[in-house]
């Protein structure tokens, strides 16, 4: 969070026994109410806010996280796991996209890991994070060990390819189609990567941050209220 | 159908002859095929078909009466809820998620609020009474949702009495929702930090009346269906999916429990204090539509047990807070219910309008700007009537969600439709789909 307005943050309790990860700044925002360039008469023009996501966590991670991470690293080798983030009691492994299928195979089959249940993939678009704009976020459940794990894979906007894990987890079939539909992430090796929610001939990928909401003005008694994405808002 | 019906025309395409069938006109299709009828027929069932549970489109390839290939077409109810939420405050998000799976609105709200609370780091500060009320509403909702599943499922195979009594009991449940939240559906009642309002006066008596009524009438479903030879003939060994299939396809909820495996997040990863309630996870061992029916039936009894325990606890909790104490998060929750069902708190208005300007500023900021949520992501999964309902919520530290994704169990479970239907009869497709209980509002979001 920014140092300019920490008092606006609700009080937080020290959650979990995991160490607090170092924040990783991905974006810098200026002003308020979405005013860009000149003409900002709001008086908030010099306000700065850094968007910082939880960054890499140093060892030890606590709980079962160390054992599982070491086990996985031993199976797929060094370098496959780019970053380990332990935040709010959840374990996130950032995986190199070339290694994703191999990692998933081990997650499913290895006795010490045994993540049988894939809860699907969802996309997140960070337009300011150059070279890692598109993130695919996978959630897995190990019923055997009663654990949850999250894998995060990123791809640049110019080369939006991530290998498909449908061969390992057939459950991910529709989820990958949905993420392709909404974010334009191409899952290489998917048996039939077609749009699933939007019509087949729809242009663009609606969940990307640069895709407009498409609302229309609301008029009431002569006053015009713009749609939510073009309204003044706190940034 | 006459040949002049503008909605039932016949035309030739490169794929073959296309017939538009509107019902009771099979003869015109057969005669239209001519002397060399093709064995393979591709039937487009839906999206407007009463027995596809909303706007689900099934594409069936038939050989005579058997289904050789089956596929789903979805997306007809896509309304962009996840995208819209990115432009509203964190509290307004509840109003959107409640509309996703419209038969289990409290589960959507609960999953979303639990995820926001984890991001805020206030999971431990939620008042006990708010948790009990959440559990009460969720379990009532499980009953009403299963009732719709059983009722519509019964109607589709001709068991109309099951439909009429199912909707009768559901109406009783919705009456309770209306009394407690002010609305029959789309409640937006569970909010980040607690629930919107305290129980209204007299609600506990109504809940007790409801429990008595349900204890008397829930038996009727078992009496009508359990040993009914027609019902069993239609459901048994239809829509078979074993445990291995469920795991591979990410199936959760009653379909998994009908294979004999008691997978239930309320037991394995409890939330909202489920570990303190006494209930069982019913299973069945047949892996078919009949098993799923029996699991749902038994689950309603277990839910009623939990509702009873909630009522006992709420009796001792009169006057306790239902919203987190942090004034930067909690909206003024003690509203008086007006003639229109919802209303204002006169005390609160007096305070902000007449006594304290700071309180007015705070109220204004909280309602228009909303609170900020520390950056990060959280995934919270709860056991909805249809299975694992997960909410993946990402915050960039702002007053609005950066990204919200729902892992809806209907969406995931519907992937099992082809494996359950292929090789079976057309009539069994209806039963198999009904046994998955997909709700298109949740599938398409």
């Amino acid at each position: 969070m920014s140092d300019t307005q920490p008092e606006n943050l609700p009080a937080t309790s020290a959650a979990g026994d995991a160490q607090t990860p170092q924040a990783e700044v991905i974006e810098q925002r200026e002003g308020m109410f979405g005013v860009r360039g000149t003409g900002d008469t709001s008086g908030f023009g010099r306000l700065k806010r850094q968007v910082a996501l939880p960054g890499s966590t140093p060892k030890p991670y606590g709980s079962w996280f160390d054992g599982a991470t070491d086990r996985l690293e031993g199976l797929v080798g060094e370098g496959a796991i780019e970053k380990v983030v332990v935040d709010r009691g959840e374990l996130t492994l950032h995986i190199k996209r070339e290694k994703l299928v191999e990692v998933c195979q081990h997650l499913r089959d290895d006795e010490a890991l045994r993540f049988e249940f894939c809860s699907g993939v969802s996309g997140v678009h960070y337009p300011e994070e150059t070279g890692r704009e598109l993130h695919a976020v996978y959630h897995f459940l190990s019923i055997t060990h009663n654990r949850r794990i999250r894998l995060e894979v990123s791809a640049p906007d110019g080369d939006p390819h991530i290998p498909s894990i449908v061969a390992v987890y057939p459950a991910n079939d529709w989820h990958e189609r949905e993420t392709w539909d909404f974010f334009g992430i191409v899952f290489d090796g998917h048996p039939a990567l077609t749009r699933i929610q939007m019509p087949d001939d729809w242009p663009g990928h609606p969940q990307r941050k640069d895709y407009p909401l498409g609302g229309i003005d609301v008029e009431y008694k002569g006053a015009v209220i713009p749609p939510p994405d073009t309204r003044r808002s706190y940034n | 159908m006459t040949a002049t019906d503008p909605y039932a025309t016949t035309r030739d395409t490169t794929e073959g002859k296309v017939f538009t069938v509107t019902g009771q006109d099979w003869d015109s299709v057969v005669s239209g095929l001519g002397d060399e009828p093709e064995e393979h027929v591709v039937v487009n069932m839906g999206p407007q078909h009463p027995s596809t549970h909303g706007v689900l489109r099934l594409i069936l390839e038939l050989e005579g009466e058997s289904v050789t290939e089956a596929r789903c077409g979805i997306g007809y109810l896509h309304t962009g809820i996840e995208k819209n939420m990115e432009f509203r405050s964190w509290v307004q998000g509840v109003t959107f998620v409640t509309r996703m799976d419209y038969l289990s609105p409290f589960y959507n709200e609960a999953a979303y609020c639990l995820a926001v609370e984890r991001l805020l780091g206030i999971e431990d500060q939620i008042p006990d009474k708010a948790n009990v009320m959440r559990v009460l509403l969720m379990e009532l909702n499980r009953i009403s949702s299963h009732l719709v599943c059983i009722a519509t499922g019964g109607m589709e195979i001709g068991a109309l009495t099951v439909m009429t009594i199912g909707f009768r009991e559901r109406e009783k449940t919705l009456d309770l929702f209306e009394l407690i939240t002010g609305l029959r559906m789309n409640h937006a009642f569970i909010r980040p930090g607690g629930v919107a309002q305290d129980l209204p006066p007299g609600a506990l008596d109504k809940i007790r009346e409801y429990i008595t009524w349900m204890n008397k009438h829930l038996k009727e479903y078992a009496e009508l269906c359990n040993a009914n030879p027609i019902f069993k003939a239609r459901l048994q060994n239809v829509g078979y999916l074993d445990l291995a299939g469920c795991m591979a396809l990410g199936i959760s909820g009653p379909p998994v429990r009908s294979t004999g495996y008691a997978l239930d997040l309320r037991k394995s990863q409890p939330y909202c204090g489920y570990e303190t309630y006494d209930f069982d996870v019913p299973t069945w061992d047949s892996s078919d539509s009949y098993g799923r029916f029996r699991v749902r039936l038994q689950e309603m009894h277990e839910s009623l047990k939990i509702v009873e325990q909630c009522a006992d606890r709420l009796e001792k909790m009169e006057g306790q807070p239902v919203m987190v104490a942090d004034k930067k998060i909690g909206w003024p929750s003690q509203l008086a219910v007006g003639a229109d069902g919802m209303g204002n708190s006169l005390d609160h208005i007096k305070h902000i309008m007449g006594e304290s300007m700071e309180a007015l500023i705070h109220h204004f900021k909280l309602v228009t700007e909303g609170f900020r949520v520390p950056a990060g992501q959280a995934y919270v999964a709860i056991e909805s009537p249809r299975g694992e309902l997960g909410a993946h919520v990402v915050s960039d530290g702002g007053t609005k969600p950066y990204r919200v994704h729902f892992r809806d169990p209907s969406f995931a479970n519907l992937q099992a439709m082809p494996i359950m239907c292929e090789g079976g009869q057309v009539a069994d497709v209806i039963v198999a789909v009904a046994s998955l209980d997909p709700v298109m509002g949740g599938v398409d979001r």
Side-chain angles (χ1 to χ4, degrees):
Chain A
M1 270 315 293
S2 138
D3 51 356
T4 51
Q5 40 179 314
E7 73 277 6
N8 283 359
L9 273 176
T12 50
S13 66
D17 52 354
Q19 298 192 25
T20 319
Q22 290 288 310
E24 190 174 285
V25 179
I26 59 159
E27 194 184 340
Q28 178 109 8
R29 292 187 194 162
E30 292 182 7
M32 203 180 253
F33 307 126
V35 181
R36 300 269 180 277
T38 55
D40 183 1
T41 53
S42 67
F44 291 101
R46 291 169 69 190
L47 205 61
K48 286 189 173 57
R49 186 168 82 84
Q50 287 179 332
V51 177
L53 296 176
S56 193
T57 311
K59 281 189 178 182
Y61 312 123
S63 182
W64 55 270
F65 299 157
D66 292 281
T69 315
D70 291 345
R71 175 82 190 175
L72 190 62
E73 202 155 36
L75 287 165
V76 293
E78 298 254 333
I81 303 173
E82 292 174 324
K83 195 166 69 170
V84 180
V85 180
V86 179
D87 182 41
R88 298 167 169 99
E90 296 182 5
L91 175 65
T92 310
L93 303 179
H94 290 253
I95 305 289
K96 262 201 187 122
R97 56 176 169 169
E98 305 87 60
K99 290 281 193 178
L100 177 67
V101 179
E102 200 186 327
V103 166
C104 287
Q105 189 80 50
H106 290 302
L107 275 187
R108 192 192 71 179
D109 295 341
D110 187 68
E111 213 164 307
L113 301 167
R114 205 66 102 203
F115 287 89
E116 307 95 340
F117 191 90
C118 177
S119 297
V121 56
S122 92
V124 189
H125 187 206
Y126 298 100
E128 305 297 322
E129 217 186 336
T130 316
R132 304 164 38 89
E133 286 94 347
L134 294 164
H135 288 227
V137 186
Y138 302 78
H139 292 98
F140 300 94
L141 168 69
S142 165
I143 298 169
T144 310
H145 302 294
N146 199 19
R147 299 165 174 172
R148 277 184 195 283
I149 197 171
R150 175 188 299 126
L151 298 189
E152 200 163 334
V153 184
S154 68
D157 225 348
D159 177 33
H161 289 267
I162 288 176
S164 165
I165 62 163
V166 171
V168 185
Y169 289 103
N172 226 31
D173 182 350
W174 283 18
H175 297 277
E176 284 184 6
R177 282 176 64 192
E178 190 185 341
T179 309
W180 148 250
D181 196 352
F182 287 148
F183 290 89
I185 299 175
V186 181
F187 290 94
D188 295 320
H190 188 285
L193 196 68
T194 51
R195 286 189 184 272
I196 188 163
Q197 302 284 13
M198 307 304 287
D200 289 344
D201 54 354
W202 191 266
H205 300 283
Q207 287 274 14
R208 291 194 181 207
K209 285 286 172 187
D210 49 8
Y211 192 94
L213 195 57
I216 53 165
D217 291 349
V218 179
E219 284 184 47
Y220 184 69
K221 296 196 174 179
V224 178
I225 296 127
D229 56 334
T230 55
R231 249 177 241 170
R232 290 189 348 169
S233 65
Y234 299 88
N235 61 0
Chain B
M1 283 302 142
T2 57
T4 53
D5 187 340
Y7 297 109
T9 51
T10 306
R11 60 202 158 85
D12 284 305
T13 67
T14 49
E15 304 283 314
K17 220 167 201 177
V18 173
F19 298 90
T20 305
V21 188
T22 54
Q24 303 189 354
D25 51 355
W26 192 244
D27 290 344
S28 69
V29 177
V30 174
S31 59
L33 282 171
D35 297 333
E36 288 172 29
E38 284 184 68
E39 289 293 312
H40 261 344
V41 184
V42 179
V43 171
N44 216 337
M45 199 169 116
Q48 293 297 351
H49 191 283
S51 59
T52 52
H53 293 253
V55 280
L56 171 63
R57 175 182 166 210
L58 301 175
I59 304 140
L60 308 174
E61 199 173 313
L62 307 178
E63 209 173 286
E65 274 280 302
S66 1
V67 180
T68 52
E69 263 193 275
R71 293 290 180 273
C72 286
I74 64 168
Y76 295 92
L77 207 57
H78 176 61
T79 44
I81 289 177
E82 290 174 0
K83 176 83 173 171
N84 266 302
M85 288 172 73
E86 293 169 13
F87 298 92
R88 302 319 202 278
S89 75
W90 289 97
V91 174
Q92 283 173 313
V94 179
T95 319
F96 280 88
V97 296
T98 190
R99 283 159 171 78
M100 288 181 168
D101 183 340
Y102 42 78
L103 289 186
S104 57
F106 288 116
Y107 290 91
N108 304 337
E109 296 169 18
Y112 171 73
C113 289
L114 289 170
V116 174
E117 283 157 12
R118 182 172 294 174
L119 284 172
L120 283 165
I122 56 166
E123 282 177 304
D124 306 332
Q125 302 168 30
I126 308 304
D128 289 343
K129 187 165 185 185
N131 273 332
V132 178
M133 283 180 70
R134 284 176 179 185
V135 171
L136 170 83
L137 290 166
M138 282 196 280
E139 291 310 321
L140 286 171
N141 201 172
R142 190 183 308 277
I143 297 174
S144 76
S145 175
H146 280 350
L147 280 171
V148 174
C149 172
I150 289 171
T152 55
M155 179 184 69
E156 284 158 11
I157 57 169
L160 280 177
T161 313
V162 179
M163 191 270 283
T164 51
I165 64 168
F167 276 85
R168 178 188 69 196
E169 259 81 79
R170 174 173 182 260
E171 207 60 26
K172 297 268 174 203
T173 322
L174 295 193
D175 285 347
L176 274 187
F177 290 162
E178 190 176 352
L179 177 74
I180 296 170
T181 73
L183 294 162
R184 285 160 52 89
M185 58 194 296
N186 301 338
H187 315 274
F189 187 73
I190 300 175
R191 305 270 174 90
V195 296
Q197 280 182 0
D198 203 349
L199 277 184
L204 281 175
D205 299 334
K206 291 280 179 201
I207 295 170
R208 299 258 184 235
E209 274 173 38
Y210 172 83
I211 294 168
T212 320
W213 171 279
M214 290 304 274
N215 273 330
K216 188 168 155 218
H217 289 279
L218 265 187
K219 287 189 281 238
E220 290 171 16
Y221 299 85
E223 285 161 8
L224 276 168
C225 303
N226 280 4
N228 183 327
I230 304 173
F231 194 84
K232 282 172 85 172
R234 288 300 306 272
L235 265 70
Q236 274 181 335
N237 299 320
V238 170
Y240 183 87
L241 187 64
D242 61 6
L243 183 59
C246 285
M247 284 300 111
L249 289 168
I251 311 297
S252 47
V256 170
R257 292 193 282 272
S258 75
T259 67
Y261 188 69
L263 176 65
D264 192 322
L265 295 172
R266 291 178 295 174
K267 286 283 187 201
S268 62
Q269 303 186 338
Y271 47 91
C272 292
Y274 265 113
E275 66 276 17
T276 59
Y277 294 89
D278 171 37
F279 67 99
D280 297 321
V281 180
T283 56
W284 204 255
D285 57 358
S286 60
S287 310
D288 59 1
S289 301
Y290 183 74
R292 283 162 217 146
F293 164 76
R294 291 297 293 262
V295 166
R296 289 199 178 94
L297 203 57
Q298 200 51 43
E299 273 181 23
M300 292 201 288
H301 288 281
E302 296 300 323
S303 291
L304 205 58
K305 257 164 71 180
I306 302 177
V307 168
E308 205 163 358
Q309 294 168 49
C310 288
D312 291 342
R313 291 182 192 194
L314 285 169
E315 212 157 334
K316 299 181 199 117
M317 286 181 157
E318 204 158 326
Q320 288 188 21
V322 294
M323 183 51 93
V324 71
D326 192 338
K327 290 288 176 204
K328 294 260 183 228
I329 298 169
W331 281 28
S333 59
Q334 300 300 325
L335 303 179
V337 178
D340 58 348
M342 300 295 273
N344 284 312
S345 163
L346 293 176
D347 284 343
H348 183 64
I349 292 175
K350 192 178 154 213
H351 180 57
I352 60 172
M353 302 305 286
E355 293 168 357
S356 166
M357 192 170 82
E358 285 71 29
L360 176 63
I361 295 170
H362 172 73
H363 179 100
F364 181 75
K365 287 288 276 181
L366 187 60
V367 173
T368 59
E369 180 180 356
F371 51 79
R372 286 178 187 271
V373 172
Q377 55 184 336
Y379 179 82
V380 174
I382 62 174
E383 188 70 32
S384 100
R386 278 161 271 285
E388 177 180 322
L389 174 72
H392 177 224
V393 179
V394 186
S395 171
D396 65 347
T399 58
K400 296 173 292 187
Y402 191 73
R403 162 96 171 116
V404 178
H405 174 72
F406 266 66
R407 187 261 183 214
D408 194 275
S410 302
F411 180 82
N413 289 2
L414 209 48
Q415 292 189 86
M417 192 283 287
I419 199 172
M420 283 165 51
C421 297
E422 284 173 6
Q425 304 250 296
V426 191
D428 294 342
V429 173
I430 311 285
V431 175
V433 171
S435 76
L436 284 175
D437 190 22
V439 175
M440 299 315 286
V443 174
D444 293 342
R445 282 155 286 138

